[in-house]
Amino acid sequence: MWEKYPVRVSAVGDVIKVWVWAVGSLVVGLWLTPVAYNGGKALSELSATKDFNGVVNKFAAWSGAARLEDFFRICWPLAALVSLFPLIEWLRLGGSGGGRGPWGVRLPHVASLGKEAGQPLKPNRWGLLQALTGFLLTFGVFVLIGYAMVKVGSFRWEADAASWRRDLLFDIGWTFALAAVIEVFFRCVVLGVFLRAMRVSMAIALAALMFGGIRFILGGFSNAETFDGETLTGVHLAGVIFGGGNLAERIVVIFLPWFAFGCVLGWARWRTASVWFPSGLLMGWLLADRLFSKATQSAEIPDRIAGYLASDSVQTGLIPLLGVLAVGGLVHLITHGYRHGRNACD
């Protein structure tokens, strides 16, 4: 019976491949993190009595102050990058033969997809304006949310009033580059593959699940800092992250806002058939959080309910979640003139 639906079977297979790659790179990253952590700490101690070359000395100095999460932020992306090349081959990117899918994915010879399958990106002469609109929207909304949380006592200003200006150009460049890479991967490749295999709502939600899951996993490292790194293994680390005592809190405070924002980004990308608008939205969100974290310190919140409302970031908590929902409503209104990427004004 599968011969009757070669396109759908191939598309579902590509979805499975993307998730195998994501989970596989996570497993490798978790396994490598304790090894890299212990090696880095040992190198840091050794560098105190022995001089190495400049690069090694810098890495040793960084390792001495780095946390377990810092090593994971290196190991997981490296594992994902190395395994990305087999994934590209597995997805038949750029291979010969077959029809070309929306993201360069080579389809089987028997495949005959309509031109809208996967919703390929379209030329967008309003791209820069959309990116600027998205940036101003999220940056403005979340700066206001951050200011409000300072006023209610969830955060307090740093003693140095100009702390947020330090390395400002680097922060802008870094967040813009990071947002561009994230959107190309999540909203171009991942969401494009998912759209070929399932309904739009399901594809957007599934891509948002992966997007929010990354931040959820990083949030679990607060439970691992108290463990002895020398005896910590990858299996133990995974258990701490996914079965920690504050699991429910992390789902509400961290995962839900990021998942909701991932849905907003996916919706913006689908409505415009472009990554300009979602890239601008993400840039504003990241930069607002970056500058806010430099300008403030989170206050001690003894009340558990209040801790759910506002956490240690302008991106986490139920109040930021309300901000995400407000942004989502504005995105829906702004893109009202679009029909699956066709601007009504064109």
mmCIF file of all heavy atoms in Angstrom, residues 178-211:
data_model
loop_
_atom_site.group_PDB
_atom_site.id
_atom_site.type_symbol
_atom_site.label_atom_id
_atom_site.label_comp_id
_atom_site.label_asym_id
_atom_site.label_seq_id
_atom_site.Cartn_x
_atom_site.Cartn_y
_atom_site.Cartn_z
ATOM 1 N N LEU A 178 23.392 34.833 15.552
ATOM 2 C CA LEU A 178 22.795 33.643 16.159
ATOM 3 C C LEU A 178 21.358 33.470 15.698
ATOM 4 O O LEU A 178 20.932 32.364 15.350
ATOM 5 C CB LEU A 178 22.846 33.760 17.685
ATOM 6 C CG LEU A 178 22.256 32.589 18.485
ATOM 7 C CD1 LEU A 178 23.018 31.304 18.188
ATOM 8 C CD2 LEU A 178 22.282 32.892 19.985
ATOM 9 N N ALA A 179 20.593 34.568 15.684
ATOM 10 C CA ALA A 179 19.199 34.487 15.239
ATOM 11 C C ALA A 179 19.108 34.056 13.786
ATOM 12 O O ALA A 179 18.230 33.255 13.422
ATOM 13 C CB ALA A 179 18.517 35.846 15.431
ATOM 14 N N ALA A 180 20.005 34.557 12.945
ATOM 15 C CA ALA A 180 19.979 34.185 11.529
ATOM 16 C C ALA A 180 20.247 32.694 11.357
ATOM 17 O O ALA A 180 19.562 32.010 10.585
ATOM 18 C CB ALA A 180 21.005 35.012 10.755
ATOM 19 N N VAL A 181 21.237 32.174 12.081
ATOM 20 C CA VAL A 181 21.568 30.746 11.977
ATOM 21 C C VAL A 181 20.411 29.895 12.484
ATOM 22 O O VAL A 181 20.034 28.891 11.860
ATOM 23 C CB VAL A 181 22.860 30.449 12.763
ATOM 24 C CG1 VAL A 181 23.096 28.942 12.855
ATOM 25 C CG2 VAL A 181 24.056 31.115 12.106
ATOM 26 N N ILE A 182 19.839 30.277 13.621
ATOM 27 C CA ILE A 182 18.726 29.511 14.200
ATOM 28 C C ILE A 182 17.540 29.478 13.244
ATOM 29 O O ILE A 182 16.925 28.424 13.026
ATOM 30 C CB ILE A 182 18.308 30.112 15.550
ATOM 31 C CG1 ILE A 182 19.397 29.857 16.606
ATOM 32 C CG2 ILE A 182 16.984 29.515 16.031
ATOM 33 C CD1 ILE A 182 19.137 30.527 17.934
ATOM 34 N N GLU A 183 17.206 30.616 12.663
ATOM 35 C CA GLU A 183 16.033 30.670 11.787
ATOM 36 C C GLU A 183 16.259 29.912 10.486
ATOM 37 O O GLU A 183 15.340 29.276 9.974
ATOM 38 C CB GLU A 183 15.661 32.122 11.505
ATOM 39 C CG GLU A 183 15.034 32.815 12.688
ATOM 40 C CD GLU A 183 13.898 31.997 13.280
ATOM 41 O OE1 GLU A 183 12.870 31.818 12.607
ATOM 42 O OE2 GLU A 183 14.043 31.521 14.422
ATOM 43 N N VAL A 184 17.458 29.991 9.944
ATOM 44 C CA VAL A 184 17.743 29.219 8.730
ATOM 45 C C VAL A 184 17.583 27.735 9.006
ATOM 46 O O VAL A 184 17.016 26.986 8.200
ATOM 47 C CB VAL A 184 19.161 29.527 8.214
ATOM 48 C CG1 VAL A 184 19.586 28.508 7.160
ATOM 49 C CG2 VAL A 184 19.213 30.927 7.614
ATOM 50 N N PHE A 185 18.039 27.289 10.172
ATOM 51 C CA PHE A 185 17.941 25.871 10.484
ATOM 52 C C PHE A 185 16.516 25.465 10.848
ATOM 53 O O PHE A 185 15.948 24.547 10.254
ATOM 54 C CB PHE A 185 18.887 25.509 11.628
ATOM 55 C CG PHE A 185 18.779 24.069 12.047
ATOM 56 C CD1 PHE A 185 19.289 23.067 11.241
ATOM 57 C CD2 PHE A 185 18.143 23.715 13.220
ATOM 58 C CE1 PHE A 185 19.168 21.730 11.603
ATOM 59 C CE2 PHE A 185 18.026 22.386 13.597
ATOM 60 C CZ PHE A 185 18.546 21.394 12.781
ATOM 61 N N PHE A 186 15.925 26.164 11.837
ATOM 62 C CA PHE A 186 14.623 25.728 12.339
ATOM 63 C C PHE A 186 13.484 26.055 11.383
ATOM 64 O O PHE A 186 12.608 25.222 11.144
ATOM 65 C CB PHE A 186 14.342 26.366 13.708
ATOM 66 C CG PHE A 186 14.957 25.620 14.853
ATOM 67 C CD1 PHE A 186 16.128 26.057 15.431
ATOM 68 C CD2 PHE A 186 14.360 24.476 15.344
ATOM 69 C CE1 PHE A 186 16.703 25.367 16.487
ATOM 70 C CE2 PHE A 186 14.928 23.774 16.402
ATOM 71 C CZ PHE A 186 16.100 24.222 16.971
ATOM 72 N N ARG A 187 13.435 27.275 10.882
ATOM 73 C CA ARG A 187 12.295 27.668 10.075
ATOM 74 C C ARG A 187 12.487 27.387 8.589
ATOM 75 O O ARG A 187 11.509 27.258 7.861
ATOM 76 C CB ARG A 187 11.994 29.152 10.299
ATOM 77 C CG ARG A 187 10.775 29.412 11.129
ATOM 78 C CD ARG A 187 10.771 28.723 12.478
ATOM 79 N NE ARG A 187 11.746 29.239 13.415
ATOM 80 C CZ ARG A 187 11.874 28.828 14.671
ATOM 81 N NH1 ARG A 187 11.092 27.866 15.141
ATOM 82 N NH2 ARG A 187 12.787 29.342 15.455
ATOM 83 N N CYS A 188 13.733 27.290 8.119
ATOM 84 C CA CYS A 188 13.953 26.919 6.710
ATOM 85 C C CYS A 188 13.963 25.397 6.561
ATOM 86 O O CYS A 188 13.121 24.829 5.879
ATOM 87 C CB CYS A 188 15.274 27.490 6.203
ATOM 88 S SG CYS A 188 15.177 29.186 5.635
ATOM 89 N N VAL A 189 14.930 24.767 7.195
ATOM 90 C CA VAL A 189 15.159 23.345 6.973
ATOM 91 C C VAL A 189 14.159 22.490 7.734
ATOM 92 O O VAL A 189 13.386 21.726 7.136
ATOM 93 C CB VAL A 189 16.607 22.968 7.352
ATOM 94 C CG1 VAL A 189 16.832 21.485 7.144
ATOM 95 C CG2 VAL A 189 17.607 23.775 6.548
ATOM 96 N N VAL A 190 14.162 22.604 9.067
ATOM 97 C CA VAL A 190 13.347 21.712 9.889
ATOM 98 C C VAL A 190 11.862 21.889 9.594
ATOM 99 O O VAL A 190 11.151 20.922 9.294
ATOM 100 C CB VAL A 190 13.635 21.939 11.383
ATOM 101 C CG1 VAL A 190 12.671 21.130 12.249
ATOM 102 C CG2 VAL A 190 15.074 21.549 11.711
ATOM 103 N N LEU A 191 11.373 23.127 9.657
ATOM 104 C CA LEU A 191 9.958 23.356 9.403
ATOM 105 C C LEU A 191 9.597 23.021 7.960
ATOM 106 O O LEU A 191 8.505 22.515 7.684
ATOM 107 C CB LEU A 191 9.590 24.809 9.712
ATOM 108 C CG LEU A 191 8.106 25.171 9.593
ATOM 109 C CD1 LEU A 191 7.245 24.244 10.448
ATOM 110 C CD2 LEU A 191 7.872 26.625 9.985
ATOM 111 N N GLY A 192 10.519 23.275 7.030
ATOM 112 C CA GLY A 192 10.255 22.915 5.647
ATOM 113 C C GLY A 192 10.075 21.418 5.460
ATOM 114 O O GLY A 192 9.176 20.977 4.737
ATOM 115 N N VAL A 193 10.908 20.625 6.120
ATOM 116 C CA VAL A 193 10.775 19.169 6.056
ATOM 117 C C VAL A 193 9.468 18.717 6.704
ATOM 118 O O VAL A 193 8.751 17.866 6.168
ATOM 119 C CB VAL A 193 11.982 18.493 6.748
ATOM 120 C CG1 VAL A 193 11.749 16.993 6.901
ATOM 121 C CG2 VAL A 193 13.260 18.725 5.931
ATOM 122 N N PHE A 194 9.130 19.316 7.842
ATOM 123 C CA PHE A 194 7.906 18.924 8.543
ATOM 124 C C PHE A 194 6.654 19.289 7.748
ATOM 125 O O PHE A 194 5.666 18.555 7.762
ATOM 126 C CB PHE A 194 7.855 19.587 9.914
ATOM 127 C CG PHE A 194 8.877 19.063 10.897
ATOM 128 C CD1 PHE A 194 9.030 19.642 12.143
ATOM 129 C CD2 PHE A 194 9.700 17.991 10.572
ATOM 130 C CE1 PHE A 194 9.967 19.162 13.051
ATOM 131 C CE2 PHE A 194 10.642 17.507 11.466
ATOM 132 C CZ PHE A 194 10.780 18.095 12.708
ATOM 133 N N LEU A 195 6.668 20.431 7.067
ATOM 134 C CA LEU A 195 5.499 20.862 6.305
ATOM 135 C C LEU A 195 5.177 19.919 5.150
ATOM 136 O O LEU A 195 4.031 19.851 4.708
ATOM 137 C CB LEU A 195 5.719 22.281 5.762
ATOM 138 C CG LEU A 195 5.551 23.428 6.756
ATOM 139 C CD1 LEU A 195 6.027 24.734 6.147
ATOM 140 C CD2 LEU A 195 4.106 23.553 7.208
ATOM 141 N N ARG A 196 6.169 19.204 4.672
ATOM 142 C CA ARG A 196 5.934 18.266 3.580
ATOM 143 C C ARG A 196 5.246 16.998 4.052
ATOM 144 O O ARG A 196 4.722 16.232 3.244
ATOM 145 C CB ARG A 196 7.267 17.888 2.909
ATOM 146 C CG ARG A 196 7.875 19.008 2.086
ATOM 147 C CD ARG A 196 9.261 18.639 1.589
ATOM 148 N NE ARG A 196 9.273 17.298 1.004
ATOM 149 C CZ ARG A 196 10.177 16.380 1.268
ATOM 150 N NH1 ARG A 196 11.127 16.623 2.152
ATOM 151 N NH2 ARG A 196 10.146 15.206 0.685
ATOM 152 N N ALA A 197 5.246 16.760 5.356
ATOM 153 C CA ALA A 197 4.758 15.476 5.862
ATOM 154 C C ALA A 197 3.477 15.573 6.677
ATOM 155 O O ALA A 197 2.865 14.543 6.962
ATOM 156 C CB ALA A 197 5.845 14.821 6.725
ATOM 157 N N MET A 198 3.050 16.779 7.066
ATOM 158 C CA MET A 198 1.915 16.880 7.981
ATOM 159 C C MET A 198 1.223 18.218 7.827
ATOM 160 O O MET A 198 1.665 19.077 7.063
ATOM 161 C CB MET A 198 2.392 16.688 9.424
ATOM 162 C CG MET A 198 3.424 17.704 9.878
ATOM 163 S SD MET A 198 4.263 17.248 11.419
ATOM 164 C CE MET A 198 5.280 15.873 10.871
ATOM 165 N N ARG A 199 0.123 18.375 8.563
ATOM 166 C CA ARG A 199 -0.617 19.625 8.538
ATOM 167 C C ARG A 199 0.250 20.775 9.046
ATOM 168 O O ARG A 199 1.192 20.572 9.816
ATOM 169 C CB ARG A 199 -1.873 19.532 9.402
ATOM 170 C CG ARG A 199 -2.873 18.495 8.954
ATOM 171 C CD ARG A 199 -4.191 18.677 9.702
ATOM 172 N NE ARG A 199 -3.989 18.759 11.143
ATOM 173 C CZ ARG A 199 -3.959 17.706 11.953
ATOM 174 N NH1 ARG A 199 -4.095 16.484 11.454
ATOM 175 N NH2 ARG A 199 -3.805 17.867 13.249
ATOM 176 N N VAL A 200 -0.129 21.985 8.641
ATOM 177 C CA VAL A 200 0.657 23.166 9.001
ATOM 178 C C VAL A 200 0.750 23.314 10.517
ATOM 179 O O VAL A 200 1.832 23.534 11.062
ATOM 180 C CB VAL A 200 0.034 24.427 8.374
ATOM 181 C CG1 VAL A 200 0.726 25.685 8.900
ATOM 182 C CG2 VAL A 200 0.130 24.373 6.862
ATOM 183 N N SER A 201 -0.372 23.198 11.219
ATOM 184 C CA SER A 201 -0.366 23.376 12.669
ATOM 185 C C SER A 201 0.527 22.350 13.352
ATOM 186 O O SER A 201 1.272 22.686 14.285
ATOM 187 C CB SER A 201 -1.789 23.281 13.215
ATOM 188 O OG SER A 201 -2.377 22.031 12.871
ATOM 189 N N MET A 202 0.472 21.105 12.892
ATOM 190 C CA MET A 202 1.297 20.058 13.485
ATOM 191 C C MET A 202 2.775 20.293 13.186
ATOM 192 O O MET A 202 3.636 20.096 14.058
ATOM 193 C CB MET A 202 0.863 18.694 12.966
ATOM 194 C CG MET A 202 1.640 17.527 13.576
ATOM 195 S SD MET A 202 1.386 17.383 15.366
ATOM 196 C CE MET A 202 -0.336 16.852 15.391
ATOM 197 N N ALA A 203 3.087 20.711 11.975
ATOM 198 C CA ALA A 203 4.482 20.964 11.600
ATOM 199 C C ALA A 203 5.066 22.100 12.426
ATOM 200 O O ALA A 203 6.203 22.007 12.927
ATOM 201 C CB ALA A 203 4.567 21.287 10.106
ATOM 202 N N ILE A 204 4.302 23.187 12.584
ATOM 203 C CA ILE A 204 4.780 24.321 13.374
ATOM 204 C C ILE A 204 4.977 23.913 14.834
ATOM 205 O O ILE A 204 5.982 24.266 15.466
ATOM 206 C CB ILE A 204 3.794 25.492 13.264
ATOM 207 C CG1 ILE A 204 3.825 26.075 11.844
ATOM 208 C CG2 ILE A 204 4.123 26.580 14.281
ATOM 209 C CD1 ILE A 204 2.804 27.173 11.601
ATOM 210 N N ALA A 205 4.037 23.152 15.384
ATOM 211 C CA ALA A 205 4.137 22.719 16.775
ATOM 212 C C ALA A 205 5.325 21.782 16.984
ATOM 213 O O ALA A 205 6.027 21.867 17.996
ATOM 214 C CB ALA A 205 2.845 22.038 17.209
ATOM 215 N N LEU A 206 5.576 20.901 16.034
ATOM 216 C CA LEU A 206 6.674 19.945 16.167
ATOM 217 C C LEU A 206 8.022 20.647 16.091
ATOM 218 O O LEU A 206 8.949 20.323 16.849
ATOM 219 C CB LEU A 206 6.566 18.875 15.076
ATOM 220 C CG LEU A 206 7.342 17.575 15.302
ATOM 221 C CD1 LEU A 206 6.899 16.903 16.585
ATOM 222 C CD2 LEU A 206 7.158 16.629 14.116
ATOM 223 N N ALA A 207 8.142 21.612 15.187
ATOM 224 C CA ALA A 207 9.382 22.390 15.120
ATOM 225 C C ALA A 207 9.567 23.221 16.385
ATOM 226 O O ALA A 207 10.690 23.370 16.890
ATOM 227 C CB ALA A 207 9.363 23.291 13.889
ATOM 228 N N ALA A 208 8.462 23.767 16.923
ATOM 229 C CA ALA A 208 8.538 24.538 18.164
ATOM 230 C C ALA A 208 8.907 23.650 19.346
ATOM 231 O O ALA A 208 9.563 24.093 20.295
ATOM 232 C CB ALA A 208 7.208 25.241 18.426
ATOM 233 N N LEU A 209 8.478 22.387 19.304
ATOM 234 C CA LEU A 209 8.841 21.446 20.358
ATOM 235 C C LEU A 209 10.351 21.248 20.420
ATOM 236 O O LEU A 209 10.950 21.242 21.506
ATOM 237 C CB LEU A 209 8.150 20.106 20.107
ATOM 238 C CG LEU A 209 8.474 18.964 21.074
ATOM 239 C CD1 LEU A 209 7.983 19.296 22.476
ATOM 240 C CD2 LEU A 209 7.846 17.658 20.592
ATOM 241 N N MET A 210 10.969 21.114 19.269
ATOM 242 C CA MET A 210 12.425 20.983 19.225
ATOM 243 C C MET A 210 13.092 22.279 19.677
ATOM 244 O O MET A 210 14.086 22.259 20.422
ATOM 245 C CB MET A 210 12.872 20.615 17.805
ATOM 246 C CG MET A 210 14.353 20.320 17.679
ATOM 247 S SD MET A 210 14.844 19.901 15.976
ATOM 248 C CE MET A 210 13.942 18.366 15.730
ATOM 249 N N PHE A 211 12.546 23.411 19.249
ATOM 250 C CA PHE A 211 13.091 24.721 19.602
ATOM 251 C C PHE A 211 13.031 24.941 21.110
ATOM 252 O O PHE A 211 14.022 25.328 21.738
ATOM 253 C CB PHE A 211 12.291 25.799 18.862
ATOM 254 C CG PHE A 211 12.732 27.204 19.138
ATOM 255 C CD1 PHE A 211 13.893 27.702 18.590
ATOM 256 C CD2 PHE A 211 11.953 28.038 19.943
ATOM 257 C CE1 PHE A 211 14.283 29.012 18.829
ATOM 258 C CE2 PHE A 211 12.339 29.342 20.189
ATOM 259 C CZ PHE A 211 13.508 29.839 19.626
#
